[in-house]
């Protein structure tokens, strides 16, 4: 009996996927073979997009969670004309467009970078939230679907807990996820690591759950039809598949469902690569070929998708003519254009905590940036994102008119959702929590940096001065960790991350301006819980603080200084106090620099850097974290006073005394540093 065109297409995908892995001698063939039927049916019959305009903002989107199944994606997109034969032949090779795990490349159909399991589907949920938000603003124009593809590993990753809860709670009926359930993991069978009832779990979160044989095309269509018709819930399609579907041994016997088929080339298993190609209908002498009938079928598929998109575009054009102002606004949202804003007009209270100063800015932004979405991990009244919330409302099921997402206690989920929002486009995502809990978010922050997503992070309670909450809540090493991303270049060769720790309320306004204007990388604002004395600006506060855009500047300057003091955040005011004392008692000439971002500062011309921190001068740094925060700026002759231990539970003022962060102690430390350095120079 001859194969149907759908079976031929799925087998062609299988043959291409295993050929890619075989030639590269690296990759994951078994799952790609198992998921081929679903991918073919989804892309040929359901996913709506314009093949001639891949960035069309009204398209459906597909988010891959299981990045190790990149061969499945590239094979499918090859049939759709998004890749060339040579691209597949160069799978996992240097400078190829088919890397081992998919990297965002919308022109070729790749909506997200994936690999770390769990995050891909959460980005899809973020995209679904962004679409709901935009649809509420623009007459349901953004009622497209977001599809996700997940495997056992993604289901098991803890991030799926937060994602499942939030998607169900918000009733994201525009999110449809296929779960490739094949009972096999990389190093074991699935029943060796879990016995949970996945369907019941998702149903308890408020999802529609459908279980099918995902090699049965009729059942796949039935599930997708039901999912697309669902009005109130996200849908999980549990597709029972076979790992290594279609594999055979050298004798022609079926060899499927085996653990070793997960992560090895077929030729390195008990299956036979050539015999398997033949079983799939492929020509072993030309394994990267598109089957003739499949190629003709996909020409028809692409023609139909283009026609359907043109019809949809015509309807949207009619709407745009009827709603020109709204249409212009949509264009501006997706181009990342910002309204005119005057951050200097934001009124800041004297000597405020920078988290409170941030609240003032967020209140301003809530009224200026219509497409900003702010989220907090159950801390809005403490991280002060309630400054934004007071001007809007919380997103709810069936009501996405508000712009605030209460994520609950789920920092990693929240951060990955923000990535998905940014990938969808049209919105400005902001997420907030305590700085110490950025530890929970690092995997998603890293992917934001890799994908060059302009997510904004608000990290409050920035030092040991959290006080009574003790060492679990007092960040010590976190600034050093987050600033490592400032030292890493992304694939465009630019600084991959921007970390800003403002020294007072006015600098906080400037920091927010920098964050909002940064449209190419993620930005973190690191903010204090405690009040901070205002810096002694000579002229206009805001105009002076704008110098922070260079990463660092002199807040106190004198000619021919004996020493330069450097810090950021609340430590700048401590240094200013110490400098004042030393000038009076020791007649020292002292410069004090506020270094809000080492990354930006080091990108300035060397002449500017040395005008702030003299190359051969004495440099003393102060940080509430690890000394490494400033050691590279202080240089080999410099000294940085910081912490080498975790915090303790006590009032902030007591900790300042115990840890030596008082103006008097820092004055003594500066004098000791000068004395030690001078002795060393004399001895030479």
């Amino acid at each position: 009996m001859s194969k149907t065109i759908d079976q031929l297409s799925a087998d062609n995908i299988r043959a291409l996927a295993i050929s890619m892995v075989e030639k590269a001698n690296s990759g994951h063939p078994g799952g790609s073979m198992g998921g081929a039927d679903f991918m073919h049916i989804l892309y040929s019959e359901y996913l709506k997009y314009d093949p001639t305009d891949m960035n069309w903002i009204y398209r459906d989107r597909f988010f891959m969670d299981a990045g190790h199944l990149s061969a499945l994606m590239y094979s499918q997109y090859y049939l759709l004309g998004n890749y060339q034969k040579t691209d597949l032949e160069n799978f996992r090779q240097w400078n190829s467009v088919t890397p081992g795990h998919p990297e965002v490349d919308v022109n070729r159909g790749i909506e997200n970078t994936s690999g770390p399991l769990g995050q891909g589907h959460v980005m899809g949920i973020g995209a679904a939230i962004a679409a709901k938000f935009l649809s509420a603003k623009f007459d349901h124009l953004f009622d497209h679907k977001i599809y996700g593809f997940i495997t056992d590993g993604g289901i098991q990753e803890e991030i799926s807990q937060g994602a499942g809860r939030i998607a169900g709670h918000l009733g994201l009926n525009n999110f449809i996820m296929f779960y490739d359930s094949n009972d096999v993991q990389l190093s074991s069978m699935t029943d060796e690591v879990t016995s949970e009832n996945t369907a019941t779990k998702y149903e308890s979160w408020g999802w529609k759950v459908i279980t099918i044989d995902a090699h049965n095309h009729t059942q796949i269509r039935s599930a997708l039809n039901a999912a697309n018709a669902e009005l109130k819930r996200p849908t999980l399609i549990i597709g029972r598949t076979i790992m290594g579907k279609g594999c055979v041994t050298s004798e022609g016997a079926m060899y499927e469902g085996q653990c070793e088929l997960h992560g090895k080339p077929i030729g390195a298993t008990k299956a036979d690569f050539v015999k398997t190609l033949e079983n799939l209908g492929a020509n072993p002498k030309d394994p990267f070929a598109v089957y003739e009938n499949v190629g003709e079928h996909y020409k028809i598929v692409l023609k139909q998708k283009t026609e359907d998109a043109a019809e949809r575009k015509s309807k949207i054009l009619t709407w745009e003519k009827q709603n020109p102002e709204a249409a212009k606004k949509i264009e501006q949202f997706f181009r990342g254009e910002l309204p005119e804003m005057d951050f200097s007009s934001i009124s800041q209270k004297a000597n405020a905590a920078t988290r409170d100063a941030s609240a003032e800015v967020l209140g301003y932004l809530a009224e200026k940036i219509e497409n900003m979405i702010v989220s907090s991990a159950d801390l809005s009244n403490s991280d002060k994102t309630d400054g934004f919330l007071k001007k809007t409302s919380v997103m709810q099921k069936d009501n996405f008119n508000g712009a605030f997402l209460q994520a609950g206690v789920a920092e990693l989920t929240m951060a990955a959702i923000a990535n998905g929002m940014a990938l969808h486009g049209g919105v400005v995502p902001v997420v907030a929590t305590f700085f110490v809990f950025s530890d929970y978010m690092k995997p998603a922050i890293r992917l934001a940096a890799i994908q060059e997503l302009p997510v904004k992070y608000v990290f409050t309670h920035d030092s040991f001065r959290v006080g009574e909450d003790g060492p679990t809540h007092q960040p010590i090493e976190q600034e050093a960790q987050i600033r490592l991303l400032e030292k890493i270049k992304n694939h465009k060769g630019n600084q991959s991350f921007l970390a800003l720790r403002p020294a007072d309320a006015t600098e906080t306004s400037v920091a927010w301006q920098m964050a909002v204007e940064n449209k190419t990388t993620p930005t973190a604002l690191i903010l204090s819980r405690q009040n901070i004395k205002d810096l002694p600006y000579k002229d206009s506060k805001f105009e002076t603080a704008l110098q922070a855009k260079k990463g660092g500047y002199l807040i106190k300057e004198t000619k021919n200084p004996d020493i330069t003091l450097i810090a950021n955040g609340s430590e700048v005011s401590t240094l200013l106090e110490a400098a004042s004392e030393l000038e009076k008692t020791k007649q020292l000439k002292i410069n004090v620099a506020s270094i809000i971002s080492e990354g930006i500062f080091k990108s300035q011309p060397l002449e500017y850097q040395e005008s702030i921190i003299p190359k051969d001068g004495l440099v003393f740094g102060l940080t509430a974290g690890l000394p490494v925060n400033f050691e590279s700026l202080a240089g080999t002759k410099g000294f940085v006073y910081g912490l080498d231990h975790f915090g303790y539970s006590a009032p902030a003022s007591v900790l300042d005394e115990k840890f030596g962060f008082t103006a008097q102690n820092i004055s003594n430390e500066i004098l000791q540093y000068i004395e030690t350095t001078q002795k060393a120079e004399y001895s030479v």
Side-chain angles (χ1 to χ4, degrees):
M1 181 179 177
S2 62
K3 293 181 179 179
T4 66
I5 188 61
D6 291 321
Q7 188 62 56
L8 273 176
S9 298
D11 282 348
N12 199 169
I13 292 170
R14 292 183 176 99
L16 291 167
I18 65 171
S19 298
M20 293 170 70
V21 174
E22 201 74 20
K23 187 173 188 299
N25 194 31
S26 175
H28 300 261
S32 298
M33 300 177 81
D37 296 287
F38 178 81
M39 285 289 277
H40 162 67
I41 297 297
L42 174 67
Y43 269 90
S44 63
E45 299 180 26
Y46 288 86
L47 199 113
K48 300 173 184 175
Y49 72 100
D50 184 354
T52 69
D53 181 11
M54 295 295 287
N55 280 281
W56 183 39
I57 63 175
Y58 300 103
R59 68 187 182 277
D60 289 347
R61 289 156 172 82
F62 176 85
F63 280 78
M64 174 59 83
D65 191 282
H68 59 283
L69 300 187
S70 59
L72 170 62
M73 300 178 74
Y74 303 145
S75 299
Q76 175 66 74
Y77 300 160
Y78 175 41
L79 299 186
L80 291 164
N82 298 352
Y83 287 90
Q84 302 299 313
K85 188 176 186 179
T86 53
D87 295 331
L88 271 63
E89 290 173 335
N90 287 313
F91 177 55
R92 289 185 167 230
Q93 303 309 301
W94 171 256
N95 209 30
S96 75
V97 294
T98 48
H101 289 80
E103 298 172 23
V104 61
D105 185 353
V106 174
N107 286 326
R108 291 188 174 87
I110 310 292
E111 297 283 357
N112 65 294
T113 296
S114 58
L117 294 178
Q119 290 192 61
H121 81 291
V122 187
M123 287 187 262
I125 288 170
I129 293 172
K132 284 284 188 182
F133 173 79
L134 293 167
S135 260
K137 285 186 176 296
F138 300 110
D139 292 341
H140 304 288
L141 283 184
F142 293 88
D143 279 0
H144 46 259
K145 298 296 183 183
I146 311 296
Y147 293 92
F149 188 113
I150 199 167
T151 56
D152 291 295
I155 289 286
Q156 289 165 26
E157 278 287 358
E158 292 87 343
I159 193 173
S160 67
Q161 159 93 16
R165 171 181 57 79
I166 290 172
H169 178 70
L170 292 177
L172 299 179
N173 68 302
N174 60 339
F175 186 67
I176 300 168
M177 184 162 69
F178 176 73
Y179 167 28
D180 184 52
S181 177
N182 55 37
D183 298 327
V184 181
Q185 304 200 172
L186 180 62
S187 65
S188 71
M189 302 303 287
T190 303
D191 62 10
E192 294 179 49
V193 300
T194 183
S195 56
E196 74 174 13
N197 187 321
T198 302
T200 300
K201 179 174 72 173
Y202 276 84
E203 286 170 347
S204 74
W205 286 328
W207 289 55
K208 180 187 188 74
V209 179
I210 306 169
T211 301
I212 62 169
D213 172 357
H215 298 306
N216 184 310
H217 297 174
T218 300
Q219 290 188 31
I220 293 172
R221 291 187 182 97
S222 177
L224 285 169
N225 288 339
N228 276 274
E230 175 60 44
L231 300 177
K232 295 292 184 181
R233 298 170 291 177
T235 298
L236 177 69
I237 300 172
I238 301 177
R240 301 294 299 158
T241 63
I242 299 173
M243 174 69 70
K245 175 69 173 174
C247 283
V248 296
T249 65
S250 57
E251 289 78 29
M254 298 307 298
Y255 187 76
E256 302 173 325
Q258 302 300 313
C259 186
E260 68 169 345
L261 297 173
H262 187 294
K264 288 182 183 179
I266 296 301
T269 71
K270 295 182 183 67
D272 185 85
F273 175 63
V274 172
K275 289 291 185 181
T276 297
L277 284 177
E278 291 173 346
N279 184 53
L280 295 170
N283 178 3
K285 294 182 180 180
D286 190 9
F288 291 95
V290 176
Y291 302 172
E292 184 178 353
N293 290 351
V294 172
E296 291 303 314
H297 177 63
Y298 267 90
K299 287 179 183 177
I300 297 170
V301 167
L302 290 169
K303 182 175 182 292
Q304 186 63 53
K305 286 188 182 296
T306 304
E307 291 174 356
D308 291 345
E311 183 179 344
R312 171 72 171 147
K313 285 183 173 182
S314 177
K315 292 178 181 177
I316 292 172
L317 182 60
T318 300
W319 180 90
E320 289 174 342
K321 290 178 179 178
Q322 296 170 348
N323 303 274
E325 289 302 314
K328 181 181 178 183
K329 193 172 288 186
I330 291 173
E331 287 184 14
Q332 291 171 334
F333 285 1
F334 277 85
R335 283 201 300 262
E337 292 181 14
L338 296 170
E340 287 189 15
M341 291 180 284
D342 180 6
F343 284 82
S344 69
S345 69
I346 300 171
S347 177
Q348 295 287 9
K349 295 177 182 176
N351 306 319
T354 52
R355 66 166 176 168
D356 292 325
S358 173
E360 296 295 332
V361 180
L362 283 167
Y364 176 81
L365 296 177
E367 297 177 331
K368 290 289 184 178
I369 305 180
E370 293 180 60
N371 59 329
M372 178 174 277
I373 299 175
V374 176
S375 184
S376 177
D378 193 39
L379 290 168
S380 56
N381 57 345
S382 206
D383 58 34
K384 297 301 178 180
T385 48
D386 59 0
F388 187 92
L389 178 55
K390 290 170 184 174
K391 303 290 182 67
T392 183
S393 58
V394 174
M395 290 179 174
Q396 298 174 338
K397 185 176 184 178
D398 299 325
N399 183 356
F400 285 81
N401 292 302
F404 198 95
L405 174 62
Q406 290 286 20
V409 186
E411 289 85 358
L412 174 55
T413 302
M414 176 181 69
I417 282 174
N419 288 349
M421 290 179 180
L423 287 166
H424 180 279
V427 299
V428 180
V430 178
V431 295
T433 188
F434 290 178
F435 192 25
V436 76
F437 300 140
S438 65
D439 285 349
Y440 285 126
M441 302 165 66
K442 295 286 170 54
I445 293 173
R446 185 172 188 269
L447 280 189
I450 289 174
Q451 295 176 98
E452 302 171 22
L453 303 177
V455 178
K456 323 300 177 192
Y457 305 100
V458 177
F459 295 134
T460 66
H461 297 58
D462 69 346
S463 73
F464 63 81
R465 297 178 185 93
V466 174
E468 292 88 344
D469 279 337
T472 61
H473 281 52
Q474 295 172 22
I476 304 298
E477 73 278 18
Q478 278 69 25
E479 185 176 354
Q481 292 173 346
I482 208 76
R483 288 199 185 278
L484 287 175
L485 287 171
E486 283 199 316
K487 301 177 188 296
I488 299 176
K489 287 184 170 59
N490 57 35
H491 285 173
K492 285 192 174 72
N494 300 320
Q495 180 182 318
S496 71
F497 192 84
L498 176 59
L500 305 171
R501 188 168 180 242
D504 74 349
T506 306
E507 268 199 17
T508 302
S509 292
V510 172
W512 260 114
Q513 182 175 345
M514 294 168 70
V516 168
E517 291 174 349
N518 179 18
K519 302 175 186 178
T520 57
T521 64
T523 305
L525 292 94
I526 305 168
L527 308 170
S528 75
R529 178 198 188 197
Q530 81 284 0
N531 292 344
I532 299 176
K533 290 180 182 178
D534 287 342
L535 300 183
Y537 301 105
K538 292 179 181 178
D539 303 308
S540 162
K541 283 187 175 183
F542 190 80
E543 290 302 315
T544 303
L546 276 176
Q547 294 177 83
K549 287 192 170 186
K550 292 183 177 181
Y553 65 104
L554 292 175
I555 190 63
K556 179 187 178 303
E557 183 176 6
T558 185
K559 290 183 179 180
N560 302 315
D562 297 309
I563 187 170
T564 298
L565 312 181
I566 62 174
N568 61 26
S570 51
E571 288 81 75
V572 176
S573 62
T574 304
L575 286 182
L576 285 165
E577 229 180 303
S580 178
E581 176 68 19
L582 290 171
E583 285 177 332
K584 290 176 184 176
T585 61
K586 301 296 181 180
Q587 289 73 54
L588 289 172
K589 297 168 70 177
I590 300 174
N591 279 358
V592 179
S594 174
I595 311 292
I596 195 171
S597 164
E598 179 185 346
I600 293 183
F601 182 73
K602 284 195 167 182
S603 72
Q604 302 303 314
L606 193 60
E607 182 181 1
Y608 177 77
Q609 292 183 49
E610 292 184 357
S611 73
I612 305 301
I613 306 175
K615 180 181 179 182
D616 297 318
L618 298 181
V619 181
F620 180 96
L622 179 64
T623 174
L626 297 174
V628 72
N629 289 335
F630 281 113
E631 284 177 345
S632 65
L633 290 177
T636 55
K637 285 178 59 178
F639 176 80
V640 180
Y641 186 91
L643 296 178
D644 61 359
H645 57 79
F646 292 117
Y648 291 86
S649 179
S653 59
V654 174
L655 294 178
D656 270 327
E657 288 282 348
K658 297 293 185 183
F659 296 167
F661 283 77
T662 63
Q664 183 58 55
N665 185 66
I666 295 304
S667 297
N668 294 335
E669 291 287 342
I670 293 169
L671 288 174
Q672 184 178 338
Y673 159 64
I674 294 173
E675 183 180 336
T676 302
T677 305
Q678 289 175 341
K679 283 182 179 179
E681 290 176 348
Y682 291 150
S683 65
V684 173

